[in-house]
Structures are given as C-alpha cells and as structure tokens.
Amino acid sequence: MEKLTVEKFYNDRKSALELILLAGAGGLSKPIESREVQRPSMALMGWYEGFAAQRIQVIGRTEITYLQHLDQKQLRETLEKLFSYREIPCVIVSKGIIPPPVMLDVADKANIPLFSSKLATVDLMSKLANWLDVQFAPRIYIHGTMVDVYGVGMLYTGKSGIGKSECALDLVERGHRLVADDVVELRRQSENVLIASGTNLLGHHMEIRGVGIIDIEKLFGIRAIRMQKRVELEVKLVMWEELSDYERIGMETKTTTILGVEIPQVIIPVSPGKNLTAISEVIAMDFMLKVYGENVASTFVERLNEEIKRKSRAREYLREDME
Amino acid sequence: MVEKEVEVVNKLGLHARPAMMLVKTASQFQSEIKIIKDNMNVNAKSIMGVLVLAAEKGSKLKIVAEGPDEEEAVEALAKLFAEGFGEE
C-alpha cells in the first residue's frame, strides 16, 4: 500500500477540511502512522506523560486562549517544547484561527507542517477520524467480480475462465450494477462490514473473452456502475464435476471469512447452459428475505415436519380404532 | 508452491502487449499462478489483473504458482520477464 504522508492527506482533504498550509512545508513528506487524533492541551500546560506524538495534533480555541495568556518568552518555550517531538506528523489549528507568529516560526524550524482549518474543532476532529479510519482500514485485493444485485452486494469468486465476468455482464444488462471486475479491493470498514471497490486504473472496465476489454460505464451508462458496495454474500462458482456436495435444501448457511469478517457463502456448480443470472437474482432476493427474518428453507422444513406429525397422529388414532 | 522474484527490464514496463504475452503463457499451465506487486496480488491468467499492476521498468514482482506444473509455469514466466518480453 502507498504510504500515508502528510502531503497525501493535504492533497486529499484540502477542500473538505478547508485546510491552509501555514508553515513547516519542509515536513510534508512525514508519514502519518496513527489513526488517532489528539488535542495537546495537557502537553501545552507542561504535562507530557502519555503524550502520543505520533498522532495528528488539533489545536482549538481552548489551547489558543491558553497560549495567548502566556508572555512571549513562555510562549516560545511552550511551543518549542511541543514541536520538539519530531514524530508529530502535523498540527492543525481549527476554527480558522490564525495562531501567534511564534508558532509559525517554531513549526518552520521543526519542519512540522502547521495547518489552519476553517472547521469547528468538533467537526474537524470527527471528519479527521472518519478519514483516518478509511485510510487505516485493513485491505486486500482479490481476484473476483463484485456486482450490486437488487442492492445486495455479491462477490463472485472462482477460477479464471469460469464465467464471472460474463455473469456480471448479463446482470448489468438486466439493470444491476457493476462495482469491479477482476481485481476487487476489499477493506474492513468496521468489525463486521467489508467494503468492496474497484481500482482507479481499471475503473469499470471488463474483459470478455473473445471480445477484449470493454468499458461498462461507456456502454451502459452511469446507472450500470457503482463505486463501492458492502460485501453481503460471496458466490463461489465451481465446475459441476469438481463438486459433489452442494447445498440441496438451504438449511445451513456456509460462511467464509475475509479480513476477519464473516460473510455468507453460496457455492454454485456451473455447467454449460446454466442461467447464472436468474440464479444470482434469486440468491439476492433470498438473502433479502433472510435479512427481513424469513427463512424459506426452514419454513418449508417446519411445514414438512408438521405434515409428518399430523400424519402420525392420524395413524395412531386409526390404530386404536377397533370398531 | 513455487515462488520467484522477477524484475521488469523492458523500457515500457508491463504494458498491454507484454501483459497479453504473460497471460497467454500463464493460461497454458494448469497451476494457479499469482503475481504479487507491493500489496497487490493478482491472477496471472487474467489480463485485467496483470494490467492493473501497471508495473514500470525496474519494479520487482513475485510470481507464485501452485499446482501440478508449478515449476514449469514459474520458469516460463520468469523467462518472459528476463527477456523483456522481446522488447528493449
């Protein structure tokens, strides 16, 4: 993965966080190694125990007010002490406050980028935390195809040439949306949410054997694509003859674990002439039924058990019938 | 499982034509073949996968194969890289 630097952060978030680089441009190549944000109030007061220098430091109104009450000598010493922690990736002053000139000077000398943001401190902290969460989320690339079918995120996996792309193409023709083909980036957004997206370079291109590379967005328009989608199901395609033990009733849900997130898995045997599109739509709808609390397979099995019980009651009754 | 590190030596890097050669060669083998660059891990039999690596001259890749003909597969692919896919 590309290393996360202050420069990348600045380029990426400049407009969203309304950032202005005030000083310390020499430190733009510094790495950001912590996903947490810190307000250095205690540190400014002289208490450095537990101070986490590797975090982005956010200075708000409170800290600035404190600094303003110091005389010039104390102010310089206080700031020099803070900026002597060279692991600090960058410092952001919120609310559009212009910090005292000494701070700019100290930041320049320490080569620690100093930004000003127009956002209110709370807003800035939460937006920063969200962005850092995405950047630090564990991620992997896998070989597969990701399609949104009726709003259900389906990740198709299986060997090369088994028909993942063709299946996705067919689904797109029927109005479903392609997220990524062939190379899917997966990242763990939270404990049980896995998000799939494509790569910048590939976009929504797809290779169809015998045709070559096609661009789904150009061919089918904006409605046929989606930038990212939560992975809700894995559909594993296998050759018919390779698999002898596939699900016949659907009572048990198989699962697979990707980046520590458990995902239900459906294994579909593929044979020539099999309509994977219709099956995919059914899988998606069945998944939705389950999400809404309706398990068709177990309802059916319950009905079957009920019927067996009813018959045996009748049989018992008749057995006692000695008329 | 067989692994081998290779380097892209041709000037234009792993562009469309070399990528196609690579995929064609890889597809002749039964083994599962992966190409790894940084944290990207793609299927060597998929043209899109190989293209997305956008491997430039001098970049180092790892070929990993697993299957009945893994040795031959890695050797054949490594040879393509070493010869610069017949380019400068």
Side-chain angles (χ1 to χ4, degrees), chain A residues 124-194:
Chain A
L124 174 67
M125 300 271 287
S126 81
K127 282 186 175 159
L128 258 178
N130 284 343
W131 185 81
L132 286 168
D133 271 350
V134 172
Q135 302 303 314
F136 280 91
R139 58 187 75 204
I140 51 163
Y141 293 91
I142 65 153
H143 176 66
T145 299
M146 181 75 192
V147 189
D148 168 348
V149 182
Y150 296 130
V152 179
M154 314 238 286
L155 177 66
Y156 291 84
T157 56
K159 279 191 182 155
S160 245
I162 201 157
K164 297 182 294 291
S165 300
E166 288 76 5
C167 174
L169 183 62
D170 219 16
L171 284 166
V172 164
E173 284 244 78
R174 292 181 56 137
H176 302 293
R177 303 167 74 186
L178 177 76
V179 180
D181 183 47
D182 226 287
V183 183
V184 184
E185 183 187 307
L186 298 173
R187 64 166 197 270
R188 192 177 73 208
Q189 190 77 330
S190 69
E191 208 180 313
N192 44 21
V193 177
L194 195 64

Side-chain angles (χ1 to χ4, degrees), chain A residues 44-300:
Chain A
L44 290 174
M45 311 266 303
W47 185 262
Y48 276 90
E49 208 167 290
F51 176 67
Q54 70 281 11
R55 297 179 188 167
I56 294 181
Q57 309 290 325
V58 172
I59 292 183
R61 169 80 66 198
T62 327
E63 290 82 1
I64 288 290
T65 319
Y66 170 74
L67 292 175
Q68 273 164 351
H69 104 126
L70 300 175
D71 63 44
Q72 279 304 316
K73 187 167 162 281
Q74 282 176 317
L75 179 62
R76 181 168 279 276
E77 276 169 11
T78 306
L79 291 171
E80 273 172 354
K81 172 88 174 138
L82 177 71
F83 281 87
S84 70
Y85 286 79
R86 295 295 153 91
E87 306 95 301
I88 297 176
C90 63
V91 177
I92 309 175
V93 182
S94 63
K95 271 189 165 170
I97 301 168
I98 297 299
V102 192
M103 198 189 237
L104 272 60
D105 182 47
V106 172
D108 261 333
K109 285 204 179 105
N111 274 330
I112 295 175
L114 174 66
F115 298 102
S116 153
S117 161
K118 287 232 172 67
L119 302 186
T121 317
V122 181
D123 201 15
L124 174 67
M125 300 271 287
S126 81
K127 282 186 175 159
L128 258 178
N130 284 343
W131 185 81
L132 286 168
D133 271 350
V134 172
Q135 302 303 314
F136 280 91
R139 58 187 75 204
I140 51 163
Y141 293 91
I142 65 153
H143 176 66
T145 299
M146 181 75 192
V147 189
D148 168 348
V149 182
Y150 296 130
V152 179
M154 314 238 286
L155 177 66
Y156 291 84
T157 56
K159 279 191 182 155
S160 245
I162 201 157
K164 297 182 294 291
S165 300
E166 288 76 5
C167 174
L169 183 62
D170 219 16
L171 284 166
V172 164
E173 284 244 78
R174 292 181 56 137
H176 302 293
R177 303 167 74 186
L178 177 76
V179 180
D181 183 47
D182 226 287
V183 183
V184 184
E185 183 187 307
L186 298 173
R187 64 166 197 270
R188 192 177 73 208
Q189 190 77 330
S190 69
E191 208 180 313
N192 44 21
V193 177
L194 195 64
I195 301 286
S197 57
T199 51
N200 283 339
L201 179 63
L202 277 190
H204 293 89
H205 287 81
M206 187 186 254
E207 186 219 355
I208 298 294
R209 284 192 178 66
V211 180
I213 294 175
I214 59 170
D215 182 352
I216 295 296
E217 187 180 353
K218 284 242 169 66
L219 285 172
F220 296 93
I222 196 77
R223 64 143 188 90
I225 58 158
R226 210 185 149 136
M227 300 310 280
Q228 60 173 41
K229 177 77 189 91
R230 175 175 175 180
V231 180
E232 278 152 318
L233 273 175
E234 184 196 333
V235 179
K236 191 174 172 187
L237 305 180
V238 292
M239 291 311 283
W240 187 277
E241 56 272 19
E242 276 174 24
L243 187 75
S244 51
D245 179 34
Y246 39 86
E247 193 57 50
R248 302 303 291 261
I249 293 179
M251 281 291 286
E252 284 167 46
T253 313
K254 277 205 179 70
T255 59
T256 172
T257 307
I258 307 172
L259 286 174
V261 181
E262 216 177 2
I263 304 286
Q265 184 191 48
V266 185
I267 299 178
I268 301 293
V270 178
S271 57
K274 191 156 177 164
N275 188 342
L276 280 177
T277 320
I279 296 172
S280 296
E281 288 181 339
V282 167
I283 294 172
M285 290 189 283
D286 192 53
F287 174 80
M288 281 194 280
L289 277 180
K290 279 183 186 151
V291 168
Y292 288 122
E294 178 97 20
N295 191 325
V296 179
S298 39
T299 314
F300 178 81

